[in-house]
Amino acid sequence: MSGFLRRSPAGVAGVVILVLLAVVALLSYFGLLPYDPIAQNPPSRFLAPSGAHLFGTDQFGRDVFSRVAAGVGNSALIAVVAVAFATVVGTLGGLVSGFYRGFADGAIGGVTNVLFAFPPLLLALSLASVLDRNWFTIAVAIAIVYVPIFIRVTRGPVLSLREIEYVRAAVSTGQSRWQIMLRHVLPNITSIIVIQVALSLSWAVLTEASLSFLGLGTPPPAPSLGSMIFEARSLVFVAPWTLIAPGAVVVLLVVGLNLLGDGLRDTLDPRNRGTRNRGKR
């Protein structure tokens, strides 16, 4: 941790942003928000930001801060589940593809190429439109989009590691291929996977917000940052805070995750450490 603090101020800034947003999301999860995010209060329509309503109220008198907090929690939940699924499936696929080669490599590579042929958002839209709309199916749709990325990220290093002497020595001792992959290969690519997870989380947040903006995200009345932005388009001249608040939070969430990913790359990637050491000399 001390190395992370010393080597990556940007990464520390990302952690600070994410911790603040996590606190806000937890307030929503434990029911500690000042107002119910879905409760309507018509007499309080279009109230400007104040001490009573930090981000103002919307066209239905709902507290925007409470809705944004709940939206952060929903977006984070979908992004974490999606990336967790993509990490497990993609990493296993990359391990098998790179270590076994042959038919397994060809089959997994073919599926990966097919998925890469579609633009990520278009593929997510297609999957989300044919699945039942709830937070879990949205997470699965986003996960399928990012599985090929983890396969590609994992496969390359595995191809190199399978030829290293200690891996060959493990093969000669009679260990099974799965034992070798899990005990000797996977630990050596963990840093690459961790970096990719942080970066993929930011993409997943953007994808979820895009789906919600297009009406294919978490169904109402559950608050979603993307749907809040969509609803606020027509209110920008009447109540601009209804658009600014969720938009700013999406930006902060994505920036925080990207800064964290950059910080992890600076700390964990040995190539970056070598570059810094040469620069110091």
Side-chain angles (χ1 to χ4, degrees):
M1 184 63 182
S2 60
F4 180 79
L5 294 173
R6 183 175 62 256
R7 293 171 180 153
S8 181
V12 174
V15 170
V16 171
I17 293 173
L18 294 177
V19 167
L20 292 176
L21 292 176
V23 170
V24 171
L26 288 173
L27 290 176
S28 171
Y29 181 79
F30 290 107
L32 299 177
L33 295 174
Y35 301 94
D36 185 341
I38 63 175
Q40 299 183 14
N41 184 19
S44 299
R45 297 170 67 244
F46 298 132
L47 293 180
S50 64
H53 299 278
L54 293 179
F55 292 167
T57 61
D58 63 9
Q59 69 272 33
F60 300 109
R62 297 173 298 190
D63 182 64
V64 175
F65 174 79
S66 298
R67 290 180 60 75
V68 166
V72 170
N74 290 334
S75 295
L77 175 63
I78 292 173
V80 168
V81 171
V83 173
F85 180 87
T87 302
V88 173
V89 175
T91 300
L92 289 176
L95 282 170
V96 172
S97 178
F99 199 85
Y100 279 80
R101 304 292 299 276
F103 174 78
D105 190 21
I108 294 174
V111 173
T112 301
N113 291 334
V114 169
L115 293 176
F116 268 128
F118 296 91
L121 183 56
L122 178 60
L123 180 57
L125 279 170
S126 302
L127 293 170
S129 63
V130 300
L131 297 172
D132 292 333
R133 284 181 58 196
N134 57 65
W135 74 267
F136 183 74
T137 56
I138 299 302
V140 171
I142 296 173
I144 293 173
V145 173
Y146 293 110
V147 164
I149 296 175
F150 281 91
I151 292 176
R152 286 281 178 88
V153 167
T154 304
R155 178 180 177 274
V158 172
L159 287 173
S160 301
L161 289 170
R162 72 190 299 271
E163 304 298 334
I164 291 181
E165 291 182 358
Y166 68 82
V167 174
R168 291 185 175 182
V171 173
S172 66
T173 61
Q175 296 184 43
S176 69
R177 290 184 176 182
W178 278 102
Q179 287 178 317
I180 295 171
M181 284 191 294
L182 297 178
R183 292 180 181 178
H184 303 289
V185 177
L186 182 59
N188 286 283
I189 61 173
T190 300
S191 61
I192 299 173
I193 296 171
V194 169
I195 295 168
Q196 187 59 46
V197 165
L199 297 176
S200 295
L201 282 171
S202 66
W203 302 337
V205 167
L206 275 179
T207 303
E208 188 277 334
S210 300
L211 291 176
S212 296
F213 182 85
L214 296 172
L216 291 174
T218 306
S224 172
L225 296 175
S227 61
M228 290 179 66
I229 294 172
F230 178 81
E231 294 173 358
R233 293 181 310 153
S234 59
L235 306 174
V236 64
F237 296 111
V238 178
W241 54 85
T242 59
L243 178 64
I244 294 172
V249 170
V250 170
V251 171
L252 281 174
L253 189 53
V254 172
V255 168
L257 289 167
N258 277 320
L259 289 175
L260 176 61
D262 290 342
L264 291 172
R265 184 170 54 228
D266 291 342
T267 304
L268 300 176
D269 193 336
R271 292 173 297 182
N272 291 337
R273 289 199 292 268
T275 302
R276 286 194 299 269
N277 291 335
R278 288 195 298 271
K280 290 178 181 179
R281 289 196 296 268

